[in-house]
Amino acid sequence: MSDKSVNENRILIVEDDQALGRLLTQEVLDHGLDSRWISSAEKALPVISQWSPDVVVSDLRLPGMDGLELMARVRNSIGEGCPDFLIITAFGTISRAVESLKAGAEDFLTKPLDLDHFMIAIKKVLRNRGLRREVSQMRDLLSDGGFQGITGQSRPMLVLFDQMARVAQAEGPVLVLGESGTGKELVARAIHRENRNRKGSFLAVNCAGIPEHLLESEFFGHRAGAFTGAGKPRPGLFAEAEGGTLLLDEISEMPMFLQAKLLRMLQDGKIRPVGADREEQVDVRIIAATHQDLENEVRQGSFREDLFFRLETFTIRVPPLRQRGDDLELLAARFLEGFCIQAGKRIQGFDESALEILNNYHFPGNVRELKNAVERAVTFCDGRVITARHLPARIRESSAKPRENNWEFISPVVPREGDLPTLSRVETDYIRHVLERVGGNKRRAAAILGIGRRTLYRRLEQ
């Protein structure tokens, strides 16, 4: 095995023409890349195994084994992590060069070679190889924890994943509660995918986004001529979601008259399209979501109590980002990966200053706000690392404001002398309290405690 540094780029030239082989090797070296030249495919095999080049530039026609056979042998023997191949061919063998692309080569070059084009092709292959490696590393990092595409490793999210898995196997309505931006629709989609009995589609509708005079038709459908403008019959959302799941987002915004019809549908599984003479049976699982306090809405008379009781059969609360501990950095890394691919950038991550700001910020907009912040940072970052200046000014300024210490965990009752805790016990309790308040985020806890993370880790081990 090679002891190559991950930042070192190695190019192997396999060319039987000695003059061309030496010329290409020197050209690569002149551009700051490590390079070697080998005159045959048979001699190249052990070099590839021991030297681990990133790119093999091989002539198609070689004495003995040709370039395509060399590529096939290397790919079969090394598998994952094998070098990328550039194939050199004469004009008359372009058809075989196309064949090399189908076999897995990154590109082909025709003789006579243009040296500028030659180096552009190599750098393009190296750039794409680096992007693939970074994406692979990021996916390995993100694959450690999650549920149906939702990323999370914190205790609140593990509890949520367990609830989602259990609820998915049932068939009753689900009520998903959580602040704006926490990912309530993602939770609903995950429940739908996890339910193997739901073969139909997943539909989502925002109850606040439909004009009130169209609500009944939108949900239940209508017959032709049912009202002015209804020239053709139209199935409603309940019919379209047959056999699947319908998410009623912002359920608190649904008018009272429609709440009554929804309750009837939940009780007997029947709907009556506008203008229809009879009811129709539908098989739809309802998931309702809201960031409002539905119990308070019931007390104020704006939401039906019987509908609330029917919906809360399975209630799931999505935790806000501030309670998810180290998930923040995991999510930031995931968003960074996606936006870098979209923008064609190779940003390696966040520096300490950016991470500290993100961890100290409250994120009232939750995961959605974090995603938007990372998108902005990627857009304005032209380097390899996101720094504090790439983050939105609102987040930078808010994180810089000192927070008041919260001493509410200390009991106002003075204990008897025999019950007084030791200083070590008080310190332990306070560390535990701070960790609970920040959702287990050790970086944020260390900042609040005024100690380094290594010191915090050492205290936790003790």
Side-chain angles (χ1 to χ4, degrees):
M1 293 296 292
S2 168
D3 58 353
K4 178 179 68 171
S5 165
V6 295
N7 295 320
E8 185 179 355
N9 291 311
R10 296 177 175 178
I11 314 299
L12 180 65
I13 309 295
V14 186
E15 172 60 62
D16 62 324
D17 184 323
Q18 293 190 13
L20 180 59
R22 290 195 178 98
L23 175 64
L24 296 180
T25 302
Q26 189 60 49
E27 184 71 15
V28 173
L29 291 171
D30 289 345
H31 281 79
L33 304 175
D34 197 0
S35 182
R36 291 185 185 181
W37 164 58
I38 300 296
S39 60
S40 71
E42 286 80 4
K43 293 178 181 178
L45 284 172
V47 175
I48 293 172
S49 176
Q50 298 169 13
W51 194 53
S52 299
D54 295 286
V55 181
V56 175
V57 181
S58 175
D59 199 344
L60 180 61
R61 289 184 174 179
L62 292 168
M65 186 190 310
D66 67 12
L68 287 187
E69 188 177 351
L70 171 63
M71 181 173 67
R73 290 274 294 274
V74 171
R75 291 170 67 90
N76 290 334
S77 62
I78 297 179
E80 184 178 356
C82 77
D84 292 317
F85 272 76
L86 275 173
I87 300 297
I88 300 175
T89 179
F91 181 78
T93 55
I94 288 182
S95 60
R96 291 215 67 199
V98 173
E99 180 185 344
S100 72
L101 293 179
K102 294 180 180 179
E106 291 296 311
D107 202 350
F108 68 88
L109 304 170
T110 57
K111 294 180 180 180
L113 289 177
D114 178 279
L115 292 181
D116 289 337
H117 184 212
F118 170 70
M119 288 308 306
I120 289 173
I122 286 181
K123 291 178 179 179
K124 178 182 176 182
V125 172
L126 288 173
R127 182 171 62 252
N128 291 339
R129 183 177 179 85
L131 283 173
R132 291 198 306 270
R133 181 170 59 245
E134 290 176 9
V135 169
S136 176
Q137 291 171 347
M138 195 69 70
R139 284 174 177 166
D140 289 342
L141 172 66
L142 299 177
S143 65
D144 291 340
F147 180 87
Q148 287 288 353
I150 301 177
T151 301
Q153 297 178 342
S154 62
R155 179 169 179 77
M157 291 302 289
L158 294 180
V159 172
L160 174 66
F161 294 157
D162 179 69
Q163 292 175 341
M164 291 165 61
R166 294 173 184 270
V167 167
Q169 306 312 314
E171 287 298 328
V174 183
L175 181 59
V176 182
L177 304 176
E179 298 176 9
S180 294
T182 51
K184 295 185 290 295
E185 182 171 338
L186 291 178
V187 169
R189 289 182 181 275
I191 291 173
H192 169 74
R193 288 194 297 265
E194 188 72 9
N195 189 328
R196 306 305 180 201
N197 296 323
R198 289 282 144 195
K199 305 301 182 184
S201 59
F202 175 92
L203 296 180
V205 58
N206 189 319
C207 297
I210 304 175
E212 188 167 339
H213 67 281
L214 295 177
L215 279 170
E216 188 173 4
S217 171
E218 189 73 20
F219 280 99
F220 299 96
H222 63 256
R223 295 288 180 261
F227 52 85
T228 302
K232 296 180 180 179
R234 182 183 185 280
L237 290 167
F238 290 113
E240 291 178 5
E242 174 68 25
T245 303
L246 178 61
L247 169 63
L248 304 178
D249 200 8
E250 298 304 336
I251 185 71
S252 61
E253 301 298 322
M254 180 177 283
M256 294 293 283
F257 83 92
L258 198 61
Q259 292 180 29
K261 293 179 176 292
L262 173 60
L263 179 63
R264 175 69 184 276
M265 179 267 165
L266 291 173
Q267 289 173 340
D268 56 23
K270 294 181 179 180
I271 62 170
R272 185 191 294 271
V274 178
D277 296 328
R278 62 183 65 182
E279 294 181 323
E280 299 176 0
Q281 193 76 33
V282 291
D283 175 24
V284 181
R285 187 174 197 186
I286 299 297
I287 300 181
T290 182
H291 70 281
Q292 300 288 356
D293 182 349
L294 278 189
E295 291 187 74
N296 185 55
E297 298 287 321
V298 170
R299 286 192 294 270
Q300 293 181 356
S302 58
F303 200 83
R304 292 180 63 106
E305 185 178 44
D306 47 4
L307 178 58
F308 170 70
F309 290 146
R310 188 72 181 88
L311 289 173
E312 71 160 354
T313 304
F314 301 111
T315 299
I316 290 180
R317 297 183 183 274
V318 185
L321 182 57
R322 61 183 174 275
Q323 295 178 1
R324 294 180 54 179
D326 294 333
D327 282 353
L328 185 145
E329 293 188 26
L330 198 64
L331 287 163
R334 176 181 178 181
F335 296 145
L336 177 63
E337 173 199 1
F339 289 127
C340 280
I341 292 174
Q342 290 180 15
K345 295 186 175 182
R346 296 179 60 184
I347 302 173
Q348 295 177 342
F350 302 82
D351 71 3
E352 285 294 320
S353 65
L355 286 176
E356 184 176 0
I357 288 175
L358 291 175
N359 278 297
N360 289 335
Y361 183 59
H362 191 61
F363 279 103
N366 292 291
V367 179
R368 184 187 297 125
E369 186 180 9
L370 172 63
K371 183 176 181 180
N372 293 339
V374 174
E375 182 178 16
R376 182 199 186 280
V378 170
T379 300
F380 287 95
C381 179
D382 293 322
R384 302 300 297 272
V385 178
I386 288 176
T387 65
R389 66 186 179 87
H390 298 126
L391 298 174
R394 181 189 69 258
I395 293 180
R396 297 197 308 269
E397 295 166 0
S398 177
S399 298
K401 295 178 181 178
R403 295 181 180 271
E404 296 182 1
N405 288 327
N406 190 335
W407 297 92
E408 64 183 25
F409 79 103
I410 298 179
S411 171
V413 179
V414 179
R416 292 175 300 178
E417 183 177 349
D419 298 329
L420 287 172
T422 64
L423 180 60
S424 176
R425 176 60 184 273
V426 172
E427 182 182 79
T428 300
D429 288 346
Y430 183 55
I431 290 175
R432 183 180 294 113
H433 168 77
V434 171
L435 282 168
E436 289 176 354
R437 289 295 300 270
V438 298
N441 188 315
K442 297 179 181 64
R443 185 189 298 271
R444 190 183 301 176
I448 293 173
L449 293 167
I451 60 178
R453 275 189 294 167
R454 291 185 179 180
T455 303
L456 176 60
Y457 291 144
R458 188 165 58 251
R459 299 282 177 85
L460 292 174
E461 290 175 359
Q462 295 171 354

